[in-house]
Amino acid sequence: SHPLLCPPGIKCGGVLSAPSGNFSSPNFPGLYPYETECTWLIVVAEGSSILLSFSHFELEYHDTCAYDYLQVYNGAARDQGNLLGTFCGHSPPPPFSSAWHVMAVVFRSDRHVAKHGFAAAYKKDACGGQLTGLSGEITSPRYPESYPNDAECRWSIGGAGGGGPLTLVFADFQMEGGQGCGFDYVALFDGPTVTAPRLGRYCGSARPPRTVSSTPHLLIIFKSDFNIGGRGFKAHFYSAGECQEVFTTIKGNFSSPQYPNFYPNNLKCQWSIQLPPGYRVKVFFLDMELEGRSSLTGGCDYDHLSAFDGGTENGSLLGQWCGQESLAPLTSHSNRLLLVLHTDRNTAKRGFSLSYVGVVPMNVSCTRTDFHIQIPTQSLAQLERNRIYLGTPSCAAQVVGRNFKIHTRFDTCGTESQRRNNTSVIVSTLYIDFSVGDQEDVHQYEVQCEPKRKEASVTLIAGPDPSRLSQAENLVDAQQWEGEATNAREIKSQDTSDIVFISICILAGLLMVIAVVGLVLL
C-alpha cells in the first residue's frame, strides 16, 4: 500500500523469504540517492523468529531523525504499535530479535545530504538479540523441542523508553541439572552486560523465581554443553511502571503505555488497585480508543481492556471493552480490582486514560427528623474525627466504639429540603478530608433521606477530579462492609421521634376529653 520511491534502475526494498540473507541501502557502499523510500519485508516460516543485525550504518544525522532515517518494525511496516525504533546518524541500531515471523525495515532519504547508508543481515531462529518492547516473550532455541548442544544465546532487554525496572517470569523450564549449574544453564544479570550484578543462575526442572531488575536493563544468557538437553524454557518480560503497577492510595489515575500516542503491540499489562477492607473501587473512564471489535464474531477478540473483581484474573469479569467507547463509571464489589490490557501483534490505537477513587464504607440511615451516619474507624484510620463532617466543620463525627458517628437533626448541618421526582427529600453533603500538606483532597458524598419512607442513600459526588465526575452513581445498592456495620437498606433504627409524636397526640386527646367532660358538667 506504500510505493517504493526509488529513482529508475535502483534496486530497492522487496520481500525476503529465505532462511537468511543480506540487504543494504541503494548504491551501498556508495552514497544513497535522494528522495528515496524503500521497504524490506522479511518473512520466514511461521513459528520462527528473526534476528536482524547491522554491519555498517551511516545516515544523515538529526536529533529526531526527521531527514533521513531507518525504521525497524516487529511485524508489517506502518503500524506504530510494531515500531522497534527509528535510527539515523553514525550509531548502528542494536541487533533486533522479532517476536514473530515477520519483520519490516523502512529506509527513507530526503532531497539533501546523502551518506553511505547501511548494510544489514538477518537469519531465522538465531537466538538472542536486543529486545526493546514494553513486554515480550523469550524461548530457548527450538522450544518446546529439545534445545541444541553447544548453544549460547544472549538477550539484552531494555531501552524501551519507559526507564522502569524489568520483570521476568518463567512460564516453563526444563534443562539438564547438576550441582552449581555447570553444564546447561540460564544466567540473569541486573544490567546490559555480564559485568552487572548477577541475579541468578538456574538449571534443572525447577522453575526460576519471578525476577525484578533494579535498572531498566536485563541480560539473559542461555548456554548448553556438548550433551544431554531438555525442553528448554519459555519466559515473559515486561517493563514495570507503565505496564505493571499496584495502587494502594485512596485515589489515583493511570493510562495505557505511551498514551496519548499509540500503545505498543504484543502487550499484557496489569494494573492492580488494592484498598483497605470494606472499601470498593469506583473507576471513571476519561478516554478510550482501542482496536475495534471483530467483524466475524462481534467480540473484543483483538485488543481489549478487562476488569476483574477481587484482584486476580480468576475473579468475576466486571467488563471487557474495545474500540472507541464512552463508558459509564464502574464500581467493584470488593476492595480489590484488576485491570488488564491485552494487545495483539498489529493495529495499535491511542489507548485509554482513567481515574479511580476508593468508596468509603459507610452506613447511612434516617428517621423522619434525623440522619445517622456510621463509618468504621479502621477504614479512615489515619484521619482525625474533625476531618469527617456533615455540611459544615462544626458538625464533625464523634468516635463511638469502633466507628465514626454523626447523628444530627435535619434542621442543622447545612441540610436542605428538595423535591426530586415529585418526592420531598432531605439532602446534605458529607465531607471526608484526606488532604496532606498543601495537597487538597476532599471527597464529597451526598446523603439523602426520604422522611416518609425513612429511606436513606449515599452517592459519591466528588473524588478524583470533580470536573470530570458528572455521572454520580448511587453507592448504597452493593454496599458491603465488615464487622459491626450492616447494610443501610436493612437497618431500621429505633425511631424515637415517632414514639414522642404518638405520645403527644395521645396526651392532647386525653386533655381534649377532660376539657369536654368539664364543660358538660358545668
Side-chain angles (χ1 to χ4, degrees):
S1 61
H2 297 274
L4 307 181
L5 307 173
C6 253
I10 297 284
K11 187 181 178 187
C12 174
V15 177
L16 307 171
S17 56
S20 63
N22 301 276
F23 59 99
S24 57
S25 51
N27 291 341
F28 182 83
L31 300 178
Y32 50 74
Y34 299 130
E35 294 195 282
T36 299
E37 183 167 333
C38 316
T39 300
W40 291 268
L41 194 65
I42 306 167
V43 184
V44 297
E46 193 152 357
S48 300
S49 63
I50 302 160
L51 181 67
L52 176 69
S53 57
F54 293 84
S55 57
H56 186 90
F57 192 83
E58 185 195 352
L59 272 63
E60 180 186 5
Y61 176 77
H62 180 262
D63 57 357
T64 62
C65 297
Y67 304 146
D68 300 352
Y69 60 79
L70 180 129
Q71 291 181 318
V72 181
Y73 290 86
N74 185 18
R78 305 300 182 191
D79 188 333
Q80 288 301 305
N82 284 334
L83 182 63
L84 292 172
T86 301
F87 306 94
C88 62
H90 290 256
S91 300
F96 283 106
S97 184
S98 70
W100 58 309
H101 71 291
V102 178
M103 205 170 206
V105 178
V106 177
F107 166 71
R108 187 181 183 285
S109 64
D110 65 4
R111 62 181 63 186
H112 306 287
V113 188
K115 298 288 184 179
H116 293 282
F118 70 89
Y122 75 90
K123 50 185 174 178
K124 174 177 93 106
D125 283 340
C127 65
Q130 179 79 24
L131 298 161
T132 60
L134 286 168
S135 69
E137 183 179 283
I138 300 168
T139 59
S140 51
R142 301 180 187 166
Y143 176 89
E145 306 297 323
S146 187
Y147 53 78
N149 295 326
D150 297 313
E152 181 170 344
C153 314
R154 292 179 174 226
W155 293 270
S156 179
I157 307 172
L166 293 155
T167 300
L168 182 72
V169 179
F170 285 87
D172 189 20
F173 195 87
Q174 192 213 358
M175 295 174 64
E176 179 186 5
Q179 193 169 8
C181 295
F183 306 125
D184 300 353
Y185 62 85
V186 169
L188 310 177
F189 294 88
D190 195 4
T193 66
V194 292
T195 58
R198 195 167 79 181
L199 294 170
R201 181 165 167 150
Y202 305 101
C203 60
S205 56
R207 223 165 33 168
R210 169 196 182 102
T211 301
V212 181
S213 70
S214 66
T215 73
H217 295 275
L218 188 63
L219 176 66
I220 302 164
I221 295 179
F222 164 75
K223 201 168 187 316
S224 64
D225 65 2
F226 62 91
N227 66 359
I228 308 177
R231 189 168 63 244
F233 70 89
K234 177 161 99 170
H236 301 274
F237 71 87
Y238 51 81
S239 172
E242 273 200 286
C243 191
Q244 198 84 11
E245 292 183 274
V246 176
F247 296 92
T248 56
T249 52
I250 297 300
K251 68 170 188 175
N253 54 73
F254 54 89
S255 54
S256 49
Q258 300 175 11
Y259 176 87
N261 298 317
F262 284 15
Y263 50 75
N265 291 321
N266 297 303
L267 282 182
K268 181 183 179 183
C269 298
Q270 297 188 340
W271 295 269
S272 177
I273 304 169
Q274 302 172 5
L275 299 185
Y279 276 80
R280 287 180 300 128
V281 184
K282 186 168 183 178
V283 174
F284 300 88
F285 297 93
L286 309 179
D287 183 30
M288 179 173 294
E289 187 192 14
L290 306 178
E291 185 179 2
R293 293 178 178 272
S294 162
S295 57
L296 293 174
T297 67
C300 294
D301 299 344
Y302 308 133
D303 301 349
H304 55 261
L305 178 69
S306 307
F308 298 92
D309 204 29
T312 71
E313 290 184 73
N314 298 328
S316 61
L317 181 67
L318 297 176
Q320 187 174 85
W321 308 278
C322 58
Q324 196 163 3
E325 297 188 41
S326 178
L327 301 173
L330 170 83
T331 305
S332 69
H333 300 300
S334 71
N335 62 321
R336 289 170 180 252
L337 184 70
L338 178 70
L339 287 130
V340 181
L341 173 69
H342 278 275
T343 70
D344 63 6
R345 55 177 60 160
N346 52 34
T347 315
K349 296 288 183 182
R350 187 173 67 243
F352 70 85
S353 171
L354 60 80
S355 61
Y356 76 87
V357 62
V359 178
V360 175
M362 67 181 75
N363 175 267
V364 178
S365 60
C366 67
T367 68
R368 290 185 177 175
T369 57
D370 301 55
F371 271 124
H372 297 265
I373 300 170
Q374 249 182 228
I375 303 172
T377 49
Q378 66 171 23
S379 302
L380 302 172
Q382 78 281 22
L383 294 188
E384 298 291 328
R385 68 176 188 83
N386 60 358
R387 298 285 199 100
I388 305 145
Y389 55 90
L390 188 69
T392 62
S394 60
C395 292
Q398 303 295 320
V399 178
V400 181
R402 289 188 288 172
N403 293 292
F404 289 113
K405 286 192 176 183
I406 296 176
H407 178 194
T408 181
R409 293 181 60 82
F410 290 159
D411 55 2
T412 59
C413 299
T415 305
E416 59 181 55
S417 180
Q418 297 181 3
R419 285 197 72 78
R420 295 185 183 179
N421 300 325
N422 291 324
T423 305
S424 181
V425 293
I426 305 296
V427 177
S428 189
T429 303
L430 177 71
Y431 296 89
I432 303 179
D433 186 353
F434 291 98
S435 303
V436 177
D438 296 335
Q439 296 290 313
E440 186 176 316
D441 184 15
V442 182
H443 296 203
Q444 298 174 35
Y445 292 79
E446 183 186 80
V447 291
Q448 178 182 315
C449 176
E450 196 178 327
K452 282 186 179 178
R453 299 169 67 183
K454 292 176 284 183
E455 279 193 359
S457 64
V458 57
T459 307
L460 176 68
I461 53 173
D465 182 352
S467 64
R468 300 272 196 184
L469 309 189
S470 57
Q471 297 168 298
E473 277 188 306
N474 193 302
L475 301 176
V476 153
D477 293 343
Q479 193 79 285
Q480 296 176 347
W481 56 303
E482 300 172 352
E484 298 170 7
T486 49
N487 190 290
R489 294 192 180 274
E490 291 174 3
I491 193 164
K492 296 289 183 186
S493 301
Q494 185 180 3
D495 195 347
T496 52
S497 59
D498 279 3
I499 296 166
V500 171
F501 180 72
I502 292 163
S503 302
I504 290 167
C505 290
I506 292 168
L507 185 61
L510 285 170
L511 288 170
M512 281 183 67
V513 169
I514 291 165
V516 169
V517 170
L519 282 168
V520 169
L521 290 173
L522 286 170

